[in-house]
Amino acid sequence: MEQYAGVIVDVRADAVNRIFQYRIPAPFKDKIEIGHRVLVPFGRRKLEGYVVELSSELEVEEGKLKDLADLLDPEPIILPSLVELARWMGETYVGLFSEALQYMLPPAFRYGKERVGAKTAQTVTLLVQNPSLRKNAVAQQRIVKILQQEPRLLASDLVKRAKASHAALRALEEQGVIALETSILERKVEWDEIPDPKFTLTAEQEAAVEIIQQELQGRRRPVLLHGVTGSGKTEVYLNVIADVIKKGRQAIVLVPEIALTPQTVNRFAARFGERISVLHSGLSLGERFDQWWKTYHGEVDVVIGARSAVFAPTRKLGLIVLDEEHETTYKQEEGSIRYHTRDVAVKRCELAGGQVVLGSATPALESYHRALKGSYILAELTERVEARPLPGVRVVDMRVQFEQGNRSIFSTELKEALGKLAATCNQAIILLNRRGFSRFVLCRECGEVLGCPNCQVSLTYHQEDDRLHCHYCLHREALPKSCPKCASRFLRQFGVGTEQVQETLTREFPELKSIRLDADTTRRKGAHAAILRRFAQGQAQVLVGTQMVAKGFDFPNVTLVGVLSADLSLNFPDIRSPERTFQLLTQVAGRSGRGEKEGEVIIQSYDPAHFAVRAAQNHDYLEFYRKEIGFRRQLGYPPFRQLTRILCSGPRQAAETAARGIHAYLLSQGFPGQDLFGPAPAPIGKIQGRYRWQIVLKSNDSPSTILRQLPAVEDQVLVTIDIDPLYML
Ligand code: ADP
Ligand code: ZN
Ligand code: ZN
């Protein structure tokens, strides 16, 4: 039966976001497969595209059907299951199919400027040591001469050095003198060699491994591994993966940010040796290209990487692990497809066969909710390894400190603890929680934060109009002169930087050597790892930093963790603020007392009675979960209802008009007005000269069909749709 190829053209535009059918001409019959890169006639041009369907049903008028122009690679470059995943992503996130396909391609093939990289990754190998070449083929002779010295080179370097053209290379290839390959020269990705400690699993670890294996062999529902900090989650992953490999399958391990997790990478390298691939943003294009092809050719058992590694071309996928699954870096915040890695991983395993394991000490509310409902399976590690206790947590009320005349950023409790630390060789971590930094207004006397009368969020001070704004319902008010609760005049925008913390620390405790980890000190490539290594080697006694210091580090010498301004993030204008705060506090507290020495934690707070602070103090995830899920249910927030944000950006008038048009359309589609917020300027009303207007929609089911048909807007306006956004700035 005649087969027709359904093709998505490689163009980033709404107008071509559908499948075009082509006839498969004789030379390509039986060769074309799903995932092949092809060239197709399109209007008067020829465009690259990807075969996403093969069908015997003709959907074009016979006379209008055109032939595929060319087949660009011998093998399909996208695995069929990844083509299906891309289709699902396009539909689910209301984005472009072609854009979803970009995630599935080797790095140098992606649309935009990266494409130039494709050539540089081609390597040349000399096959015949002394070939007989035509006398007048001087360029070819120069090439061979160079290769006789160095038998394997990058094609781009070689043509430059030989002052030859790519045609000369191809001629040599045809004569069988050289082999042209896409990258064999392997640029090694670095990790530290550490010994592999082969632990005997604790009973809880054993039980968790068993639960995962049972699912793996059975219904393959995602497993949520909820394990307290220091309970040995990594060891559970390592064990399950070893088993997956033994069965001839591959694993993908996702970490929030690879630069911040060198220790995790080292542990995987120690266990699985050379057959791992590490993907991170610090790699050059060529290196990423190498890693991609190694995976494509089945030369690796374990792929470790951040978010986008979920698309690694593993043909025999057995397992996907999301470590620290609650982290916000798992959400893609750019482009037309704003996916969440967790949901993509689950879908990928559904399509390709495989098991998802989500691990965290502080699971996302959504995940825990699903685990309680039974769509995920729960595995728990309730204790630290070797029965080490969780650190004791003290919460210091900063209002009392203020009353007692302490104007320092360090409470008396923290000062005392730091003083004691100086007499030992133990280490400390000090976290300055900077999220929401100087954006909200706080009363220094009673701790009151000015909030919106209609929503459960704090108001944000806007300098432009000297007013307080609510980013959810658009309430605005003047900045009061005194605290509405206690009438104090000490209303302050709170603001200290990590640099100031370090200065104060050095002034008050000159004997404590400190090191800083924040956006400033880690700008340089490799700086993260270098700072962490220095701290691990004991070159500094105190690590001072932002959120970064709360990641999954394992420093056995840390016995003190101090948190300055615990509640800053509570006042961030965001429905997820309490969750983020609880996660941050629990995670950073979890860095203390991981070794043989007992640890302690001091949390400084203006709102010590807040349930998120309380629950973190008690190491009680369930206490937090029950409270917060109640609020979410009451307010109709995720996971109970879906939030969709539609953002229109462009020239001032055009952006507003677009938002108003979309709003009217949504009303006409039967969305009740109370479920539609806006149209209104986004919290950050202008970015890079573009004005931003938004509409936020609450719905019970996914409204993707309706969102697909949004009314047309002016050309200069960009409309982005974000399903269950993590931020709405
Ligand atoms: P988590 O990710 O749950 O916070 P880790 O996986 O980092 O915890 O493990 C914490 C520490 O315990 C690590 O130093 C790890 O090497 C060690 N560890 C893990 N499993 C065991 C075990 N069964 N026995 C002894 N130590 C273990
Ligand atoms: Zn007050
Ligand atoms: Zn409001």
Side-chain angles (χ1 to χ4, degrees), residues 443 445-448 483 485-488:
C443 170
E445 218 139 315
C446 78
E448 172 79 354
C483 172
K485 196 163 149 207
C486 78
S488 152

Side-chain angles (χ1 to χ4, degrees), residues 199-200 202 205 229-234 267 385-386 554 594:
F199 299 111
T200 319
T202 65
Q205 284 173 324
T229 55
S231 59
K233 291 184 285 293
T234 313
R267 276 155 80 180
V385 296
E386 321 230 287
D554 191 33
R594 292 170 74 89

